[in-house]
Amino acid sequence: MNSRLNISLGRLRLQNPIIPASGTYGFGLEFAKLYDINCLGALCIKGTTVQPRYGNPSPRIAETEAGMLNSVGLQNPGVDKVTADILPRLRAVYHQPIVANISGFSIEEYVQLAKQMSDAEQVELIEVNISCPNVHNGGMAFGTDPSAAAEVTAAVKAVSDKPVFVKLSPNVTDITRIAIACEQAGADGLCLINTLLGMRIDLRTRKPVLANKYGGISGSCIFPLALRMVNQVSRVCQIPVIGCGGISTASDVIEMMMAGASAVEIGAANLTDPYVCMNIINELPQLMDKLGIDNLSDIIGITAR
Amino acid sequence: MQQLRFDISHNEPLTRDIFRMWLICRSEAGCRALKSVQAGQFANVSINGCFLRRPISICDIDDRRICFVYKVVGKGTAAMSEMKQGEELDILLPLGTGFNADNAGERPLLVGGGVGVPPLLLLARQLISAGKETTVVLGFNTKQDIILADEFRSMGCNLTIVTVDGSEGQKGFVTNALRLTDAGHNHTYYYACGPVAMLKALQKELGISGELSMEERMGCGFGVCMGCTCNTQDGARQVCTDGPVFDSRQLIL
């Protein structure tokens, strides 16, 4: 372990800032076959809902320059199965903090999910997803209105013993308004950004590539946009921010932290390079030497100051 | 699954839009991975200039080499078709659940449609070497689209070719041919890969158990993104890990 990589998210200490993002790492078990996933700072599990969900019709995946679109629609086995069957299997191979990403279709569902996940062993952080663009009547509906975002945040905060981070949508006019509303409602931190809503058309069939028509864009093409939003939010909020969106190299990590992120989530890059999180963790110390950085915690928001 | 590097040794057109690529493995770890390949499994190929890998079915293997027979359908496969001998590819393999040759019985039937034919070649080789009386029915649009017929024939399969326009073999779809030739064959089990309409027809018409290989757009290819879901009697399953090969009676098409 290299203490130069240590960072804090509020009262939670991580050995490094690298967290695989929800939906790109499953429940960690496939990656545990490839490398020792205990090298991670934390691990964010697949977004979990109260009821099991099949998700959207296929095709759910499309490609774009330097990125991809997905319209998975929160396919997951439901919170009971996740806490009873899957998390124990993860805990058998993984001993660092687990981030539980939760998605509700009502305030009551968010509250139930937060209670169950907050009670789950080794879950050290609740990530409240109010930004999934692929489901109707839920997800992003809470993330595009400051008062709805605040209401979810306060309700989850009231029942959770674990720190509550809210995952924000970039599909808004001014992300800082949502961020400030969540902070004022008691959020312990923020995570941004979720995917951007996009579309591709198959020129031969003249129909959308995705069966669900629209899907969330991720991958390196969204990095500058995510960086800008992290910078804007970290300038107006006091709570820690997890930067997410298009990060695929150690230098992206440094850049995102300079913009204001205390930790980062790696998303789509895990799908194309399954070893990317491990490689970034291994490469960070050397890159820090080259850039004259003693400790990663020194550079958080250095560009925003 | 392993991440391996292969060198292209051949890359040649078989038809106007289907190509065959042979690649040589450099490492001993890679050769061990090749030995573990099950017919019906696939590889996920990284292509310069494309964000996502391209899932390609494994057509054949030998001690050090792997063979892909792929159709040019978009940017990624078009780029593959232009690659030259000596170029290196980054490949994840073996991926997915393939055919279970143990289920074949004595007289297995293999049915392939178009670019669904390649993964059946390795299976046929296994079944023939296990002494099975192997019948293969392959369907194509037209004579110019026929691939791998000589390979199946020379290994000793009982081969029927079907073309939609009748330009070679029997005219129509594989199901027409099966109705004509199936009587008396008493097939013990079947394996199929091809368009969904073909799989659906086989599921409905063949009165025996079998296995169907599916195709879907994939994000990761190893079971984490939930991008390639299909519906089964047991609910949502991933084409990349639970499949691509499924029990024909489990799959809801």
Side-chain angles (χ1 to χ4, degrees), chain A residues 28 41 156 212 220 243 254 303:
Chain A
V156 168
N212 205 42
S220 33
I254 304 266
T303 306

Side-chain angles (χ1 to χ4, degrees), chain A residues 229-241:
Chain A
M229 288 190 164
V230 165
N231 191 243
Q232 285 178 318
V233 166
S234 62
R235 282 170 187 270
V236 296
C237 291
Q238 306 308 308
I239 50 178
V241 171

Side-chain angles (χ1 to χ4, degrees), chain A residues 245-263:
Chain A
I247 298 167
S248 56
T249 63
S251 56
D252 291 344
V253 173
I254 304 266
E255 194 172 345
M256 189 57 94
M257 294 183 76
M258 286 180 171
S262 296

